[in-house]
Amino acid sequence: MYREGEGIKKEAKEYMVEEDDDATEPGESELEALRVQCRLEHFIRRLRLNEREAAAVRAFEAQLQSFVGQEKLKADLRQLQSAVLRESKRAAPGAQRVAHMALLGEKGLGKTSVAKVIFQLLKGLGLVEDKFERVLGSQLSDKGKVKAKLEALAGGVLFVDEAHSLVNSAAANRSLTGFCDPGGFRCIGAGAAGGGTSSSGEGSNTNALIIAAGPKAQMEKWLLPTNPKGDPGLGDRLSKRLSLIHISEPTRPRLISYAVFCLKK
């Protein structure tokens, strides 16, 4: 392990990663942290990110470290980040889109934290305005409330927690579908200033990024095209799905190792 640690340290120096010169033989958590930093710096160089983009990516990775035990979620979030950055390099000016999302997971797993991390990444990249609000699904019980909330957050992010509570709210579900652009959220600079609106579906679509969250089974029931009080197009509009899982027993040694690492810092 010590040889591996020295190799990772050498690679870390190559990518200008700060390290403790007085450190002794690294433990598994230190090794993993160095691996992550090396991969991150390599990613930044490979995509030729500018200073603003690099800062947003580093902040995003630092926030991901708080999701201990959620390895699949972290991999999915890194994939989302990579897709957003690659699209920003490919897309014509003002044409970039980000898919509306659904976070699936039981209560207490940190869905609000995940939504905020996504928001902070997009804000750091200059793709959304500094607008983020969490509302409960029960607060969007009719068309008027949905429209007012989305208009207030145009260009920003609306996080609908406990969205499955809308399972029997036919008017709100139709409204969400109508105001949610099927092509995804138009990033800042795309279309009208400040997020703006475009014509599609029910009248004009209000351009806010929607992140809906709730327990997996109830969310899937809500988004079923066959839900009699739902809307058959809503599931397609919330096209990006991210799942949070309960931390399983085999991850406990890793959690202990991570805790020791944090205490030593």
Side-chain angles (χ1 to χ4, degrees):
M1 179 183 288
Y2 187 75
R3 288 180 181 175
E4 183 183 7
E6 288 299 301
I8 291 175
K9 281 187 176 182
K10 183 177 179 181
E11 188 177 358
K13 285 181 178 179
E14 180 182 346
Y15 289 111
M16 302 169 64
V17 177
E18 294 182 3
E19 65 166 340
D20 183 358
D21 293 331
D22 298 326
T24 57
E25 179 177 348
E28 188 58 35
S29 291
E30 288 97 329
L31 288 176
E32 182 57 28
L34 286 170
R35 290 189 193 102
V36 169
Q37 286 183 305
C38 290
R39 286 195 296 265
L40 178 64
E41 296 303 319
H42 179 64
F43 175 77
I44 288 171
R45 290 188 174 192
R46 184 157 48 88
L47 265 65
R48 299 179 179 179
L49 303 184
N50 59 37
E51 289 185 11
R52 176 177 186 170
E53 292 168 334
V57 166
R58 291 189 181 103
F60 178 74
E61 185 59 47
Q63 290 173 313
L64 289 191
Q65 299 315 305
S66 65
F67 302 136
V68 182
Q70 298 282 357
E71 301 310 315
K72 174 64 166 59
L73 172 66
K74 288 193 282 190
D76 288 345
L77 288 170
R78 290 186 184 108
Q79 186 178 50
L80 171 65
Q81 171 194 248
S82 180
V84 168
L85 285 165
R86 292 179 190 280
E87 181 64 18
S88 70
K89 302 297 183 184
R90 272 196 306 263
Q96 186 168 1
R97 302 273 185 142
V98 174
H100 300 288
M101 307 176 204
L103 302 181
L104 312 178
E106 300 304 314
K107 190 173 183 178
L109 288 180
K111 296 185 291 296
T112 301
S113 296
V114 174
K116 288 180 178 178
V117 165
I118 294 170
F119 164 66
Q120 290 294 340
L121 170 67
L122 297 176
K123 186 180 77 168
L125 294 173
L127 300 178
V128 301
E129 295 184 10
D130 190 8
K131 299 179 184 178
F132 177 94
E133 186 173 342
R134 172 186 176 269
V135 299
L136 298 177
S138 57
Q139 295 175 281
L140 301 175
S141 56
D142 59 51
K143 175 181 176 178
K145 291 180 179 179
V146 172
K147 183 179 181 181
K149 191 61 67 176
L150 289 174
E151 286 180 342
L153 288 164
V157 176
L158 173 63
F159 174 54
V160 186
D161 204 359
E162 299 180 15
H164 59 284
S165 63
L166 292 169
V167 66
N168 293 316
S169 301
N173 290 325
R174 285 195 301 270
S175 188
L176 269 175
T177 304
F179 292 128
C180 186
D181 194 317
F185 168 75
R186 293 189 315 283
C187 298
I188 289 177
T197 59
S198 69
S199 60
S200 177
E202 182 182 356
S204 62
N205 286 356
T206 303
N207 187 48
L209 177 63
I210 297 174
I211 304 178
K216 187 174 187 293
Q218 290 96 316
M219 288 286 285
E220 289 176 344
K221 180 181 178 182
W222 170 50
L223 295 172
L224 274 176
T226 54
N227 174 14
K229 293 193 176 181
D231 189 284
L234 187 54
D236 290 338
R237 282 162 168 75
L238 296 171
S239 57
K240 180 66 178 177
R241 309 289 171 88
L242 297 168
S243 295
L244 288 77
I245 61 170
H246 283 293
I247 296 173
S248 57
E249 194 66 29
T251 66
R252 288 185 181 275
R254 295 190 65 185
L255 293 177
I256 294 171
S257 177
Y258 180 81
V260 170
F261 173 53
C262 289
L263 289 170
K264 287 168 66 178
K265 291 185 74 174

